[in-house]
């Protein structure tokens, strides 16, 4: 039986509304470039991002394995959308939610999580190798708390499996299997690994799967060097993507990648404004990076090629920076936005 991807379907609770998001044909961008570029509109999940899928998948897997009981506590170390997704799912399923995050994160994120009923615990921002890293603190808290489960989004492969059974099949059906490639950036690795695995299997290897990286991430160099990890250097304005290691989720697929490349912040921020102006899409910078990458991959594949990517979330959670003239100037990014598009930078 085929699945129906209709927003008109009745959803039973928040969790029933996760997934079945539209695949948007980026019409003007496609006409401009001569390629067919598609964006999976994950900002239309009920919690506003692609991480709703991982949050639901991680909790469902824990329930199925008896690792969490009714009234229990879900714990995660997260600085962004996964925490928001978990908080939503916890409210819908009756769990407590405890979120550890670096104390460098915006007050807007902390406030939103608290409004969703989460117990937010900001801790000093230290490297992953430090035992006081927010992820390790989350794990210790869960281990010391009765009926608590640490979702472990980076290394719990239920994350990638959630995308293998939902996002991948949706993209395949929505394109009727007429797709040349899929590309996206990665933080936990769940989306890329799960979607990539499904599309490779379903197409018998025909669909290429590539990784797009922000500056400061080591994943492109890892791929290009044949598996050598280098020390992480540099930084990016993007949030929630890029890595200094191979997560267990990414490890399930990394050897099957067809390629990887880095997208500069300058191109990503310019695409934020272009997509708003030409497609009417108000997207975060990681989504824009993915679209830049989809266009550049299509260029490698040739005219008329069909490439899909992920529109991770909207710009609402980042608008105080992305549309601030002062912030853009502080990063020397105001110069990369075409003058006729600067009209959208309405914040001082």
């Amino acid at each position: 039986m085929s699945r129906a991807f209709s927003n008109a379907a009745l959803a039973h609770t928040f969790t029933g509304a996760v997934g079945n998001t539209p695949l948007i044909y980026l019409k003007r961008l496609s006409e401009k470039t001569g390629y067919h570029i598609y964006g999976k509109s994950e900002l239309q999940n009920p919690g506003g991002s692609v991480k709703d899928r991982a949050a639901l998948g991680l909790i469902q897997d824990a329930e199925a394995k008896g690792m969490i009981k009714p009234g229990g506590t879900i714990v995660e170390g997260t600085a962004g959308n996964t925490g928001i997704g978990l908080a939503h799912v916890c409210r819908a399923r009756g769990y407590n939610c405890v979120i550890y995050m670096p104390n460098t994160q915006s007050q807007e994120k902390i406030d939103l999580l608290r409004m969703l009923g989460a117990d937010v615990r900001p801790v000093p921002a230290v490297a992953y190798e430090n035992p006081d890293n927010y992820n390790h603190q989350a794990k210790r808290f869960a281990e010391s708390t009765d009926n608590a489960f640490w979702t472990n989004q980076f290394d719990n492969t239920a994350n990638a499996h959630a995308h293998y059974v939902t996002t991948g099949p949706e993209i395949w059906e929505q394109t009727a299997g007429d797709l040349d490639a899929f590309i996206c950036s990665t933080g936990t690795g769940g989306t890329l690994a799960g979607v990539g695995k499904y599309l490779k299997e379903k197409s018998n290897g025909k669909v290429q799967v590539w990784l797009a990286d922000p500056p400061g991430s080591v994943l492109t160099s890892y791929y290009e060097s044949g598996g050598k990890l280098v020390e992480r250097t540099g930084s990016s304005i993007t949030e929630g993507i890029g890595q200094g290691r191979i997560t267990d989720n990414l490890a399930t697929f990394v050897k099957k990648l067809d390629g990887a490349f880095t997208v500069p912040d300058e191109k990503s921020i310019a695409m934020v404004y272009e997509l708003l102006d030409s497609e009417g899409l108000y997207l975060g910078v990681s989504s824009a990076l993915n679209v830049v990458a989809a266009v550049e991959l299509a260029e490698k594949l040739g005219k008329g090629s069909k490439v899909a990517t992920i529109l991770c979330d909207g710009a609402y959670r980042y608008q105080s920076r992305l549309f601030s003239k002062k912030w853009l100037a502080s990063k020397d990014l105001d110069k990369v936005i075409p003058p006729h598009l600067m009209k959208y930078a309405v914040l001082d």
Side-chain angles (χ1 to χ4, degrees), residues 282-300:
Y282 190 59
L283 301 173
V285 72
S286 57
S287 300
L289 182 152
N290 284 346
V291 174
V292 172
V295 172
E296 293 191 1
L297 177 54
E299 290 174 352
K300 296 176 185 293

Side-chain angles (χ1 to χ4, degrees), residues 83-346:
I84 293 167
L86 286 170
H88 275 291
V89 176
C90 284
R91 294 277 52 76
R93 292 174 102 83
Y95 298 119
N96 301 308
C97 183
V98 176
I99 300 295
Y100 283 80
M101 65 160 53
N103 60 7
T104 54
Q105 298 305 299
S106 69
Q107 190 62 42
E108 289 92 339
K109 286 183 180 178
I110 295 173
D111 291 342
L112 175 56
L113 283 165
R114 286 176 174 161
M115 282 186 272
L116 291 171
D119 176 356
V120 184
R121 304 186 179 193
V123 298
V126 295
Y128 183 81
E129 294 74 20
N130 189 312
D132 287 330
N133 176 273
Y134 65 100
N135 287 291
H136 304 318
Q137 292 201 49
K139 179 183 179 182
R140 290 197 297 269
F141 176 81
E143 290 173 342
S144 64
T145 302
D146 184 53
N147 192 18
F149 176 70
W150 175 48
T151 50
N152 189 15
Q153 61 168 325
F154 291 93
D155 296 315
N156 183 343
T157 56
N159 178 347
H161 183 70
H163 291 284
Y164 177 76
V165 299
T166 66
T167 324
E170 289 172 29
I171 291 173
W172 181 258
E173 182 169 331
Q174 288 167 324
T175 59
D178 187 13
L179 187 67
D180 296 305
F182 173 80
I183 187 169
C184 72
S185 52
T186 181
T188 66
T191 304
L192 181 67
V195 174
K197 179 183 178 184
Y198 184 87
L199 293 178
K200 282 286 188 186
E201 291 178 357
K202 195 68 176 180
S203 69
N204 293 317
K206 171 184 172 291
V207 175
Q208 293 192 27
V209 179
W210 288 58
L211 183 151
D213 234 6
S217 176
V218 305
L219 300 180
T220 294
S221 64
Y222 178 88
Y223 175 82
E224 293 177 343
S225 67
K228 182 179 179 180
L229 274 177
V230 298
E231 186 175 349
R232 189 169 186 170
T233 59
S235 62
S236 171
I237 64 168
T238 59
E239 296 184 29
I241 57 174
Q243 262 297 343
R245 66 186 181 97
I246 302 300
T247 66
D248 286 359
N249 278 291
L250 184 57
T252 65
F253 187 75
V254 68
K255 293 182 180 179
K256 298 176 183 177
L257 283 171
D258 293 288
F261 57 84
T262 298
V263 176
D265 283 346
E266 291 80 2
K267 290 185 177 181
S268 297
I269 194 71
M271 184 60 79
V272 167
Y273 280 73
E274 181 175 348
L275 289 169
L276 176 57
D277 187 67
S278 65
E279 306 287 347
L281 292 170
Y282 190 59
L283 301 173
V285 72
S286 57
S287 300
L289 182 152
N290 284 346
V291 174
V292 172
V295 172
E296 293 191 1
L297 177 54
E299 290 174 352
K300 296 176 185 293
L301 299 179
K303 288 293 182 183
S305 55
K306 301 176 177 65
V307 180
T309 192
I310 299 292
L311 306 182
C312 316
D313 62 8
Y316 305 97
R317 291 167 186 165
Y318 321 101
Q319 62 188 18
S320 62
R321 296 191 308 159
L322 297 182
F323 296 92
S324 162
K325 292 187 285 289
K326 182 178 180 180
W327 184 85
L328 290 168
S330 74
K331 302 292 183 180
D332 288 326
L333 292 173
D334 53 328
K335 302 178 182 65
V336 305
I337 300 171
H340 72 284
L341 298 184
M342 278 298 292
K343 63 186 179 183
Y344 296 113
V346 299

Side-chain angles (χ1 to χ4, degrees), residues 47-62:
S49 86
V50 65
K51 294 298 187 178
D52 287 1
R53 295 184 190 259
L56 179 57
L58 291 165
I59 290 177
Q60 286 179 325
D61 183 69

Side-chain angles (χ1 to χ4, degrees), residues 6-61:
S6 170
N7 288 333
L10 176 64
H12 292 277
T13 78
F14 174 95
T15 59
V18 175
N20 292 328
T21 58
L23 184 70
I24 300 176
Y25 180 59
L26 303 181
K27 185 174 184 293
R28 290 190 178 179
L29 185 64
S30 297
E31 291 173 347
K32 174 183 174 182
T33 60
Y35 313 115
H36 301 283
I37 309 299
Y38 303 91
K40 185 71 165 150
S41 189
E42 292 299 285
L43 63 155
Q44 290 181 247
N45 278 305
S49 86
V50 65
K51 294 298 187 178
D52 287 1
R53 295 184 190 259
L56 179 57
L58 291 165
I59 290 177
Q60 286 179 325
D61 183 69

